[in-house]
Each structure stands twice: as C-alpha cells, then as structure tokens.
Amino acid sequence: MFDITKIRNFSIIAHIDHGKSTIADRILELTGAVPKRKMQDQILDAMELERERGITIKAKSVRIEYKTKSNEIYILNLIDTPGHVDFSYEVSKSLQSCEGALLVVDASQGIEAQTFANMHLAEENNLVIIPVLNKVDLPSADIESVSKQIEDNFLLGLEPIKVSGKTGLGIPEVLESIIENIPHPIGDPNKKLACMIIDSNYDAYRGIIVDVRMFDGTLKVGMNIKMFSSGDTYEVLEVGYLGMNVKKTDTLLAGEVGYIIANIKNISSVKIGDTITEYNNETLNALPGYKEAKPFVYVGLYPINTNDYEQLRVALEKLKLNDYSFYFQPETSKALGFGFRCGFLGLLHMDIIKERLTREYNLDLLITSPNVIYKVVKFNGEEYDIDSPSKLPENGRDYKAIKEPFIKATIITPSNTVGGIISLCQEKRGISVDMKYLSETKSIIIYNLPLAEILYDFYDKLKSISKGHASFDYQYIGYKESELVKLEILINGEEVDALTMMCHKDNAYHLGRNLIEKLRKIIPRQLFEVPLQAKVGGKIIVRDNIKAVRKDVLAKCYGGDISRKRKLLEKQKEGKKKMKQLGKISIPQEAFSAVLSLEKGEEK
C-alpha cells in the first residue's frame, strides 16, 4: 500500500571539498544501497573527470530503502550536489525537487563562501535545513568554534550533528534526523498528472531518458504524456526508480522520484524544469520551475578539423540535455571558419564542457578568449546586447555608452590576508560594499566587481595571496556603465576577429602591447615581414613586426660582376613585396590561447 508519509526527498549541500560526496558514500553503505564489494569512493561521481578533480559536476539521484530504529521502512531519495560556484545551477535544480537538505560544514575549515550561497538557495526553496559538522575526527577540527559559526550565522534551531564521512561516525544520527525533521512530500496520486523534469540524458538505443519528480497524479506504462512547453506527445514505454541500478516499475506515484523512457528522439522536446502531464487530461497550470540559468561567460568553440563541425553540433546537443545551463548557437569567424558561440556559468564550467567534448566525443577543439555580454546604449536610449567584441560598431560615435555586467563577490579569508585581497579587488576596479569578522581568525569581504575582471587570473591571485585559504562566491547584480573600448588585433593588415577583445580604456595600451609581444613569439616567421598591430577606435596604438626569413640568393654566386648580385637581390625584393600582398598567414592555435594566459598584473 502506497504511503506518501514514508517518503523523504533530501539533498546534500556544502562548499566544495567539505565532504558531501563522502557522506553520501557512507549513507549508501549503511543503508545497504550498495554492496560492500562494489563500494568505492565518490560512488555517485560517475564521470572520470569528477574522480580526477575530486569535484561533483552533475547532481545524482538515488533511491534508498531505510529501516529505522523502530523497524519502519522509509524511502529516501538522495540527491548529491556540486559545490563549486560554476555549478550553482545544478544545486538549485536539486533543491527544487526536495523538502529538506543536509548543510555540511568542514569542522577544520568552518563556514566558507559557497556555504552561504547554498544556504540562501535552500532558504529560497523553503527547505528544512539539518546542519552537519563533518571531519570531526581530524586533529585540526575546531568543533566548538565552527558550531558557534553555524549557530550565529544561520539560526537553524537544530544542533549540528557531528559526523565523520571517512569513518561513518554519526551517519545513523543523520538518517534518523532526516526522518524526524524533513517533512514528507505533499501530493495526491488521484489528481491530474503533474511532474517536473529534473534531468535528462541521451541513450543511443532508447532515446532520451527523462528524470522526473512526481508532484501530483500517477504515471503508468502505456500512458500518453504531453510536454507542457512544446506540446509534444509520447507514449510511456518504461518507468522506474533511480538508483545505483535502475529498477523498473509499473507506476510512479505523487512524491516519488524516477525516470521515464518514451522513445523521445527530438532533443528540443525535453527542457529541464518543464512540466509533464497526461495527454487529453492535462493539468491547467505548469509547475513553478526553478530559474532558467543565464550564462555569464561566452567563448567561440571551433573544430580544428573542419570536417568535425557536424559531429560537434550533435555532441553539443547531447551535452545540453543534462546541462541546461550551457548555451550554444552557430557562428562564423573569418579566421577560424564555422563554429559555435557558447555560453557558460564560469571558467570551470567552460573547462569541464571542453574536456567532456574532447574525451567523450573525441573532438579536437579551439577556444577563443572568454568574454561577457555587454549592453550598447544608443543615443535614443535604446539598448542591445553583444556577446562578441567583434560585433561592437567600429565608430564610437555610433553609440552613447557601453554597460558591462557586475557581480557581488563574497570572499571569506584569514584575517591576516585582508589587506592583500582588498588591494586585488581595487586593482580589478572593484567597489567596496562591506567587511566584517566571521570569527577571530576569519573575515568576510564583499565587493562589487566587473565580471570581465575575474575571468582571467582573479581566482589564481586570490589563492596566491591567501595561501590557498580564501573561498570565493559571486552573484550577478546587474549592468553598470563603464569606459570600455574595443581592442582589435591586425596581422599583416587583416583584422583577426577571434582575437578582438573589450577592455577598460586605461588598460588598452598595456593589454595590446602584451598581446602583440606574445603573438610575435608564437607566430612563425614567413618569407616576408609580417606587421602586428593593436587598434582602438580606428587608431593604431601598438605596432611590431615579425622579421622575414631571408633566403641567401647569393649563395650560388661564387664571383662575377656586382651587378649580377644586385639583380638577384632586386628580384628577391620584388618577390617579397608581391608575396606580402598575396601571402596568407597561418595562425597557430597557441595564438588564440595567448589571450587566456595574459597576466592582467602586467597591464598596470
């Protein structure tokens, strides 16, 4: 007999590397969801990349049967979440399908920036929060101080549960607290079908497999379902529960989490956050979905082998299925040919997508320099977006102003490094908002920063100044007007659109000079002199030359009249002049990566 009161849907949230995946391992081990012989570290992190980097990239769902101390059977749907700021979309997606969450804090490190961010996400979704103090077995654990931090900053009303993800200490108490404190889902299996798509992935044989959270109604094999946003209809061929090994069932009921297979081949039919209902018996209103992810960082993605363009398009569509925060559209570059304009939530997100394309789809790719979306303000007050600097009008008199996106950065750092971090934020054109002490040894610094300024080396410098102890989180706050210019790079007199970038007018000369110097070293010498130029607003601000490779045309002259030698040299000179007019420069891949490695500190 189905009993919705015996279901608990919960998530695990924490700052990166605070042990949420390890706690998930212990919960699976204790409840017998995974046999001991098959148990391994980070078992919910199925990707090779996740194991290599020690981070969670994709949220996972698993159904667990748990017998309480009073011998009652409960169904726990556990969703593991990422911790890095670039995957906050995955966190919000997980929390939307839960009624409660475990907030994990490292007993030796205390509250970090992402702890605050995830806590705010959980509060927005009205979840019950259970504080968990992890790694209490470490010699460096400061249990009293960190417990006080949690109590003072979050006011949860629950005593933090002291656990060790490594040894399993306190895990039974965590499970009992989940049963006692997290409410059961609310839903009626007799109402019209309403379930939310929380994830999807592509199977070559069975089509798109859709993961859903049931809110109302009953989902059965053979039922005709309808996608609320697209109106596409399908017949359900299989439903089941998510777990370490998926388990088929005949029905999914209100409150449960499971999967649907319905021979869905059209990738555009499935949108994460969309509502699925029954065809000809539809629910009137779509479920309130979570916020659609808005990419902040844009790059051009091009196949090195032009024949791989179609394969790249298919690969991007498949990745989009289970990462809805990723955006792409076709674009063409004069220098690089056909490719895609791709949007990401951050640089790590970009790096992970590129790595997945390389490993999972065997593609060799070239990435242009990252940039953000700017707003161009016309003289009549109208605004329009540009996602590539090359799209900005050449003449600065064609627009009134340029706006750039700003973020609110929260940095938690040891108190003795505050001065260095404030200097870094000022260097990046930051505006101070607040600073306060979290404890005797930790401080919180809040700055408003241009998003473009943190794309290159901000995080590396932050870690260097704080000796690796600072944590960083940010949230988008809107656009502000800035004195920005378009920096164009010309090679042999031709503009290379893939190297065009936006920068503050005070940094244009230094940035252009550094880039020209790098290109001069990277681009191979030709048989003719190649000029390199940096241009702003129609004026050349930096110029350098790649010297020509000189062929010794006099080598075959062992003597004779000087006029013969002059004739050969004049002929060579005319040939070089003609070659310079007609010659094409092959730009190596390293040239486009040069922008990524530019040290912004060299600009000053």
Side-chain angles (χ1 to χ4, degrees):
M1 184 67 182
F2 171 73
D3 186 356
I4 197 171
T5 63
K6 301 294 185 185
I7 296 176
R8 298 291 185 272
N9 298 321
F10 72 100
S11 189
I12 305 177
I13 55 176
H15 185 82
I16 188 169
D17 201 33
H18 275 207
K20 58 195 167 297
S21 293
T22 311
I23 287 177
D25 290 346
R26 299 290 80 77
I27 289 175
L28 294 173
E29 188 175 46
L30 182 66
T31 56
V34 182
K36 284 192 176 181
R37 58 189 175 83
K38 292 186 178 180
M39 195 64 204
Q40 57 179 334
D41 290 342
Q42 289 178 264
I43 195 161
L44 289 182
D45 295 341
M47 281 186 215
E48 184 184 348
L49 262 177
E50 291 179 310
R51 295 182 177 282
E52 279 183 17
R53 301 196 180 205
I55 58 174
T56 300
I57 296 168
K58 281 294 301 168
K60 306 295 188 303
S61 301
V62 59
R63 178 185 169 102
I64 302 166
E65 288 191 8
Y66 172 62
K67 183 184 284 189
T68 65
K69 292 178 180 178
S70 56
N71 289 325
E72 291 184 280
I73 302 295
Y74 281 80
I75 301 298
L76 309 180
N77 288 308
L78 159 65
I79 300 174
D80 191 24
T81 60
H84 195 277
V85 60
D86 281 11
F87 302 107
S88 58
Y89 173 78
E90 285 286 327
V91 178
S92 65
K93 184 181 72 174
S94 302
L95 299 183
Q96 188 70 25
S97 55
C98 298
E99 282 74 39
L102 303 180
L103 178 68
V104 178
V105 179
D106 190 322
S108 58
Q109 296 182 41
I111 293 174
E112 301 284 6
Q114 197 66 21
T115 315
F116 278 104
N118 288 336
M119 181 65 192
H120 292 322
L121 280 173
E123 287 176 338
E124 285 177 9
N125 286 280
N126 299 315
L127 302 189
V128 173
I129 310 297
I130 300 174
V132 174
L133 202 58
N134 192 24
K135 305 184 184 181
V136 295
D137 56 322
L138 293 180
S140 57
D142 188 351
I143 297 172
E144 287 187 14
S145 174
V146 176
S147 296
K148 191 173 186 308
Q149 283 182 32
I150 295 172
E151 184 181 335
D152 292 347
N153 287 280
F154 298 140
L155 304 173
L156 298 175
L158 292 173
E159 187 76 21
I161 304 172
K162 300 172 182 62
V163 307
S164 168
K166 184 177 180 181
T167 65
L169 172 72
I171 299 300
E173 287 76 10
V174 170
L175 290 169
E176 290 294 328
S177 183
I178 290 170
I179 300 298
E180 182 181 343
N181 294 301
I182 294 179
H184 63 79
I186 298 172
D188 187 348
N190 298 314
K191 284 187 176 180
K192 292 181 178 180
L193 175 65
C195 59
M196 180 185 287
I197 300 174
I198 60 172
D199 207 351
S200 61
N201 57 82
Y202 187 82
D203 186 282
Y205 301 102
R206 300 188 291 176
I208 298 169
I209 301 173
V210 181
D211 296 349
V212 295
R213 156 69 200 271
M214 299 288 295
F215 282 88
D216 278 317
T218 302
L219 187 65
K220 301 177 182 178
V221 174
M223 177 184 283
N224 290 320
I225 57 172
K226 177 182 176 181
M227 305 294 179
F228 210 94
S229 62
S230 66
D232 295 340
T233 58
Y234 299 95
E235 182 185 350
V236 177
L237 303 177
E238 182 183 323
V239 297
Y241 300 126
L242 300 165
M244 302 314 298
N245 296 303
V246 294
K247 182 181 177 183
K248 291 183 187 179
T249 184
D250 294 328
T251 58
L252 284 176
L253 301 167
E256 295 187 314
V257 177
Y259 70 89
I260 305 171
I261 297 174
N263 197 28
I264 304 172
K265 299 293 185 182
N266 183 5
I267 290 176
S268 61
S269 287
V270 178
K271 296 180 180 178
I272 294 179
D274 193 13
T275 302
I276 296 178
T277 186
E278 184 178 4
Y279 180 60
N280 282 339
N281 188 27
E282 298 104 358
T283 181
L284 296 177
N285 300 309
L287 295 166
Y290 35 78
K291 297 175 184 176
E292 186 173 340
K294 184 177 181 180
F296 291 114
V297 179
Y298 283 80
V299 300
L301 205 60
Y302 296 86
I304 292 176
N305 182 353
T306 53
N307 294 327
D308 290 340
Y309 176 80
E310 188 60 26
Q311 186 184 347
L312 174 59
R313 183 186 64 78
V314 173
L316 291 173
E317 286 179 347
K318 289 180 179 178
L319 282 181
K320 175 82 172 175
L321 270 176
N322 59 10
D323 187 353
Y324 210 61
S325 58
F326 166 58
Y327 163 87
F328 70 94
Q329 69 174 24
E331 78 165 2
T332 307
S333 164
K334 293 178 184 177
L336 303 174
F338 294 102
F340 293 90
R341 193 79 191 156
C342 300
F344 307 92
L345 296 182
L347 289 180
L348 178 63
H349 190 204
M350 177 190 79
D351 189 32
I352 292 297
I353 291 289
K354 181 179 181 292
E355 197 74 21
R356 289 186 67 185
L357 288 168
T358 302
R359 294 189 185 195
E360 297 174 24
Y361 300 97
N362 199 28
L363 290 164
D364 290 326
L365 302 170
L366 188 149
I367 289 188
T368 63
S369 59
N371 56 74
V372 299
I373 288 187
Y374 297 94
K375 289 186 181 293
V376 179
V377 184
K378 295 182 179 180
F379 285 100
N380 62 5
E382 291 182 11
E383 297 181 359
Y384 63 92
D385 295 346
I386 57 166
D387 60 6
S388 173
S390 60
K391 296 177 182 177
L392 185 73
E394 179 71 28
N395 191 343
R397 287 172 292 187
D398 293 341
Y399 54 87
K400 182 181 179 182
I402 303 174
K403 293 181 178 180
E404 64 177 329
F406 270 68
I407 58 159
K408 181 181 179 182
T410 302
I411 302 166
I412 297 183
T413 185
S415 299
N416 58 358
T417 64
V418 165
I421 289 174
I422 288 176
S423 297
L424 173 64
C425 292
Q426 295 286 358
E427 177 189 321
K428 299 295 184 181
R429 300 190 283 128
I431 302 166
S432 178
V433 176
D434 193 13
M435 193 200 90
K436 57 186 177 182
Y437 289 96
L438 185 63
S439 67
E440 293 181 0
T441 57
K442 270 193 174 184
S443 299
I444 300 179
I445 302 170
I446 300 175
Y447 259 82
N448 290 343
L449 290 164
L451 177 60
E453 291 288 348
I454 70 166
L455 292 186
Y456 293 91
D457 63 343
F458 180 83
Y459 197 69
D460 291 338
K461 286 188 173 182
L462 181 69
K463 288 296 182 183
S464 176
I465 292 169
S466 66
K467 298 179 176 60
H469 294 295
S471 62
F472 171 70
D473 179 68
Y474 64 85
Q475 63 185 77
Y476 168 76
I477 58 172
Y479 278 79
K480 292 184 180 181
E481 193 173 308
S482 298
E483 295 184 89
L484 301 173
V485 293
K486 178 168 74 168
L487 178 66
E488 299 171 275
I489 301 298
L490 287 75
I491 299 177
N492 199 29
E494 291 187 12
E495 180 193 339
V496 182
D497 55 354
L499 292 176
T500 301
M501 60 194 305
M502 300 287 289
C503 64
H504 194 270
K505 71 171 189 176
D506 294 340
N507 298 335
Y509 170 75
H510 302 286
L511 188 59
R513 185 195 64 195
N514 292 338
L515 188 50
I516 291 296
E517 286 179 359
K518 281 183 176 287
L519 292 175
R520 183 170 58 81
K521 295 174 184 176
I522 292 169
I523 297 175
R525 292 171 68 186
Q526 310 292 317
L527 291 172
F528 54 92
E529 187 176 78
V530 178
L532 302 175
Q533 298 165 304
K535 183 173 75 170
V536 171
K539 295 181 181 179
I540 303 298
I541 60 171
V542 181
R543 158 133 190 183
D544 206 341
N545 294 318
I546 301 174
K547 292 184 178 180
V549 176
R550 183 176 178 185
K551 182 180 178 182
D552 190 1
V553 294
L554 303 180
K556 57 186 177 182
C557 295
Y558 295 102
D561 190 3
I562 188 67
S563 62
R564 185 183 174 211
K565 293 182 180 179
R566 283 177 179 166
K567 185 178 179 181
L568 287 170
L569 289 171
E570 286 297 322
K571 188 177 179 181
Q572 182 188 43
K573 186 178 179 180
E574 288 297 317
K576 284 181 179 290
K577 187 176 180 181
K578 186 176 181 181
M579 192 180 291
K580 185 173 182 177
Q581 293 172 345
L582 303 176
K584 295 292 183 182
I585 308 298
S586 178
I587 304 173
Q589 181 180 350
E590 293 80 9
F592 300 101
S593 303
V595 183
L596 294 174
S597 61
L598 278 176
E599 285 290 329
K600 283 296 192 82
E602 296 172 2
E603 298 174 22
K604 303 299 174 187

